[in-house]
Amino acid sequence: MTDPPPPAEAVPSHKPGAFGRPTPRDVVSGLVTGLFSIPEGMAYASIGGFAAPLGLWSGVVPTIVGSMLARTVLMVTTLTSAIALSSQSVLAAAGLDPGDLGALATLTVLVGVVMLTMGLLRLGSVMSFVSTAVMTGFTTGIALQIVTGVVKDATGYTPTPHNTLAKLADALAHAGDWDGGTVLVAAATLVTWGAARTVRQLRPYATLLALLVVTAACAIVRPDVELVEDIAAIPRSLPPFSLPDLDAVPGLISGAVAIALVALAQAAGIGAAVANPDGTRPDASKDFTAQGLANITGGLFSALPTGGSLSRTGVGTSAGAQTRWSGIFAGVWLAVLVLMLGPYAGQIPMAVIGALLLVIGGELIAGRVADIRLVLRTSWLSTTAMAVTFLATTQLPLQNAIFVGAGLSILLHAVAESRRGRLLGLTPDGTGGWLIEDAPRVLPSDRTTVLHYQGGSFFAEINRLEDQWPDPRDARRAAIVLSLRGSVGIPSATFLKAYERACLRLRQHGIHLVLCGVPQSMYDLFERSGTLRALGPDAVFVETSRLMESLALAYDAAERHRTGTR
């Protein structure tokens, strides 16, 4: 007997961007994320100096549009604390009132235009230069930011330092100043969540159960703790339509670029931390485009600038998100909850939200443990890159941190390539083949020596490779063939100069140097630069479609030069 096929809703679609069918878990996950969006969105808007309801509207239209289009299918596009603070700074620099809905609409739409432009130009490819070590440090740092960002909600104590690590240290050092009632509610939330997780059938709903059970208990007991309604009243209305103020564009355009970088840097970590359940690969450029359209449409409906939120995405995945429908439902549920239960949602204790976000941050950090171990076992350079990126993420603006990480990745790649490059010796085996051996230290007389470059570029390793050339001083009636096939494909002025130096040095000893396996692009460079004319047309042989053909031609030419039979 064969097993019956899985139900249709459980069969994932592997077509990039496909919607698939929503599952019951997506509905529940959307509900939990929608509930979280009420207190978290209002809190983030408030810390940025904006009216709290704007944080709610930032989780409706942008979340729905972003979830519909993002290639990272579980990513939730909404307001984050970093974006809120960055937006506050940009408006202040432009001399604009954070309560001016026209200016806010302008800023959000401009941020969307910048993101959309970057996506259409495929600038997400820059993320290909960010190594696993760097992305591990970056995402771990963001997860730690989530944890430290809710210390006040979970303990009642407000850390005074600004950077992430100092906040955590300050909170632990002042444990005696924590509010007892707040800690008790947070602890009850953690216990309820943990208890639900021990029951297999309840595990996908543990976050929702902890939220509802502890909130209901607090409504009965009424402990003296901060509630969502203490931040601001929750209006029973859909996001109002708002038009951008075109007069504000000149003062906001540069700030919009900065906010877009912050948002995109945060979103970049989500694709690395949260895999697509359907097995498709994330596409950073497509995500840029999705977030751009989410901001352009959201700006017309009173949303603040938004981007990929690791905390809200973590809430959704922890609650069992299966497809992009979970994010769509999150935006829909938020609108429904605000319309139907707005004042009642205000009864959620902030300690409950803080405790569950501690869980989310802890799960995200735990999810990176395997990658951290892998990086630690790889090399000290990778470990250093991970550590530096982690520290940058916890102490610098996020857009600066990701650029530090990208720069480290490129530097590490260059160092690795420069170490990989070396010269090998090729010796005829008498049957038409070649034996690979170490390059000779001293150039032998009365023969043509064949060398092959093995590496990836001709930049950082040039000086070291020049030291590997065989010593030609005592060689007589000798020649050298240097094979480049499969090793270099980018025209390089650095290599051109090094080749000229080598030719001139060898000619002083009467030794002829011939290149073979040269890409057509580099041969064209020799022609344009005049090098080919100075060295002679039989000093360079272009690679052909037949393996080793250019080597055979170059070897014959070198032999003719060496023996004087030209």
Side-chain angles (χ1 to χ4, degrees), residues 176-490:
D177 296 328
W178 293 1
D179 179 73
T182 301
V183 172
L184 184 61
V185 172
T189 304
L190 294 176
V191 170
T192 305
W193 177 86
R197 292 281 295 179
T198 61
V199 181
R200 186 173 62 86
Q201 292 85 350
L202 298 180
R203 191 170 300 162
Y205 313 107
T207 304
L208 177 61
L209 288 173
L211 178 66
L212 296 178
V213 169
V214 179
T215 298
C218 289
I220 297 172
V221 178
R222 296 195 173 278
D224 184 17
V225 296
E226 185 179 33
L227 304 178
V228 169
E229 66 181 13
D230 295 330
I231 299 175
I234 301 177
R236 278 185 169 177
S237 65
L238 291 173
F241 184 76
S242 58
L243 285 174
D245 179 4
L246 297 182
D247 292 336
V249 171
L252 295 175
I253 185 64
S254 60
V257 175
I259 294 172
L261 292 175
V262 172
L264 296 176
Q266 288 183 298
I270 297 176
V274 183
N276 287 342
D278 59 4
T280 58
R281 294 186 61 185
D283 185 324
S285 293
K286 295 291 186 182
D287 287 343
F288 286 8
T289 301
Q291 291 173 80
L293 293 172
N295 275 282
I296 292 172
T297 54
L300 301 177
F301 292 93
S302 302
L304 293 168
T306 58
S309 168
L310 190 58
S311 63
R312 217 77 61 90
T313 302
V315 169
T317 54
S318 178
Q322 299 289 300
T323 72
R324 65 176 67 252
W325 281 99
S326 61
I328 297 172
F329 283 131
V332 173
W333 270 120
L334 176 58
V336 171
L337 289 170
V338 169
L339 281 174
M340 297 180 59
L341 305 172
Y344 298 103
Q347 297 300 309
I348 300 174
M350 292 303 298
V352 172
I353 300 298
L356 291 177
L357 284 176
L358 287 178
V359 170
I360 300 303
E363 287 182 328
L364 291 171
I365 293 174
R368 309 307 293 172
V369 169
D371 286 338
I372 293 173
R373 289 174 178 168
L374 176 62
V375 171
L376 292 175
R377 293 169 180 169
T378 300
S379 70
W380 70 267
L381 284 174
S382 295
T383 301
T384 300
M386 179 177 66
V388 170
T389 307
F390 173 78
L391 292 174
T393 304
T394 57
Q395 301 187 54
L396 297 176
L398 287 178
Q399 73 272 27
N400 293 345
I402 195 62
F403 287 136
V404 167
L408 277 174
S409 292
I410 295 171
L411 178 61
L412 290 176
H413 175 73
V415 170
E417 285 295 321
S418 68
R419 290 181 173 182
R420 189 165 66 93
R422 61 175 180 149
L423 291 177
L424 299 172
L426 298 181
T427 304
D429 63 1
T431 62
W434 299 85
L435 298 175
I436 301 175
E437 55 190 21
D438 292 334
R441 301 297 299 272
V442 177
L443 187 66
S445 299
D446 300 312
R447 59 172 286 191
T448 293
T449 298
V450 180
L451 303 175
H452 175 72
Y453 169 72
Q454 182 183 69
S457 62
F458 280 101
F459 294 95
E461 74 273 29
I462 283 295
N463 292 332
R464 190 167 59 85
L465 288 179
E466 288 183 336
D467 293 336
Q468 295 181 17
W469 282 96
D471 185 349
R473 288 175 294 182
D474 297 328
R476 299 293 181 267
R477 291 170 54 84
I480 296 177
V481 172
L482 177 61
S483 169
L484 302 179
R485 186 179 181 95
S487 296
V488 60
I490 302 175

